Every structure is written in structure tokens, then in C-alpha cells.
Amino acid sequence: VTHITDPARSALMKSVKQRNTVPEVLVRRILFSLGLRFRLHRADLPGSPDIVLSTKNAVIFVHGCFWHRHPSCKLASNPKSNLVFWEDKFEKNIARDRKKAAQLRRLGWRVLTVWECETRRPEKLKRRLAKFFCASLEHV
Ligand SMILES: [Zn+2]
């Protein structure tokens, strides 16, 4: 990656999977408020999911909209330069996400993706999570 410009390189460095991001912490807080318990970053599972709810047989990935290409999302705008480089990078990210989710499903896990932009509307996200995890919505 020596041919890419400095802004692209610094963004590339940021693409290294970050843990305990602001959106991730918010999702955890909501789950906790719903009475759900979980573990974090289980390296023994494909893709090392951000949040694992063993009793619900479920995993959650909290995805940044830009890196994971949230469809029709404002946060997933196209970079202005080095488009070929970025498109290649994005395609690989998307392919990797799909592969990991498929592997997890084969192992019997339910896979939920929470997008970064969803964490900007916590009440709505809470309803979505409650629907996914709780038989009833009594906690909401
Ligand atoms: Zn988004």
C-alpha cells in the first residue's frame, strides 16, 4: 500500500478493527437496560463478534457505515480520490462480513447487524433490539 496518499493511509489504519467504539458501548448499554447479558469479542467465533448473547444464541456486529458500506446511508459516502483502491477495499470488507455471518449461521447463531447510524436514534434502536431478543416488549 505504498502508492496511496496520506489521507487514504490514515483511513486505512483506522480500518483495523477497533473495539469499544462509541456505537458499540451504546448498544451494550441498551442491551443491559433490556435485562440482557452478554460477552464481548469472542475470538473463538468466526469474525470475533462484538457482542455475544449465548443464552439467546445470538451475536451482534456493530458496523461502521463507511467501512461496511451501509446501503443508502449518508455515512457511507464515496471517497473523492483513489476510488479504485477504496472500491477494492470495500468489496473485501463486504465479502468478509457475508462470509463470517454465513459461518456463524451454520454454527447455529442468529446474526444481527447494528449500524453506526442506528445508534444515533437510541429509542428506535432499543425497540429493534427488544423485538429481536425478547419474546415480549415488556421492557420497552
Ligand atoms: Zn448507516
Side-chain angles (χ1 to χ4, degrees):
V1 288
T2 49
H3 61 286
I4 59 174
T5 60
D6 285 333
R9 186 174 299 128
S10 63
L12 183 63
M13 297 309 284
K14 279 185 207 148
S15 77
V16 173
K17 191 166 175 175
Q18 293 184 355
R19 295 181 164 184
N20 306 312
T21 59
V22 171
E24 232 179 275
V25 170
L26 191 122
V27 173
R28 287 185 218 160
R29 199 173 297 148
I30 293 174
L31 292 170
F32 197 83
S33 76
L34 290 168
L36 296 162
R37 297 299 174 262
F38 46 84
R39 285 179 58 191
L40 306 175
H41 312 295
R42 268 185 59 179
D44 58 319
L45 292 178
S48 183
D50 299 314
I51 301 171
V52 179
L53 298 95
S54 305
T55 58
K56 299 285 179 187
N57 249 336
V59 302
I60 300 177
F61 287 100
V62 183
H63 276 350
C65 298
F66 180 76
W67 279 105
H68 297 271
R69 306 319 282 164
H70 189 192
S72 331
C73 176
K74 268 187 215 160
L75 302 181
S77 61
N78 278 322
K80 302 258 185 290
S81 57
N82 292 306
L83 257 186
V84 174
F85 165 81
W86 287 110
E87 275 166 8
D88 176 62
K89 186 96 190 100
F90 291 152
E91 269 170 33
K92 281 178 185 152
N93 280 354
I94 292 166
R96 191 185 309 116
D97 290 343
R98 284 207 187 116
K99 190 177 160 199
K100 299 300 174 193
Q103 286 173 338
L104 285 159
R105 288 195 182 97
R106 272 200 299 278
L107 291 169
W109 293 92
R110 298 167 76 202
V111 180
L112 182 71
T113 298
V114 172
W115 295 99
E116 172 190 3
C117 62
E118 287 184 278
T119 64
R120 295 178 177 189
R121 296 181 67 186
E123 283 307 314
K124 195 179 173 196
L125 177 59
K126 185 174 181 176
R127 284 196 297 276
R128 184 179 171 221
L129 292 171
K131 222 173 184 172
F132 188 85
F133 290 111
C134 308
S136 73
L137 298 177
E138 60 191 311
H139 298 291
V140 180

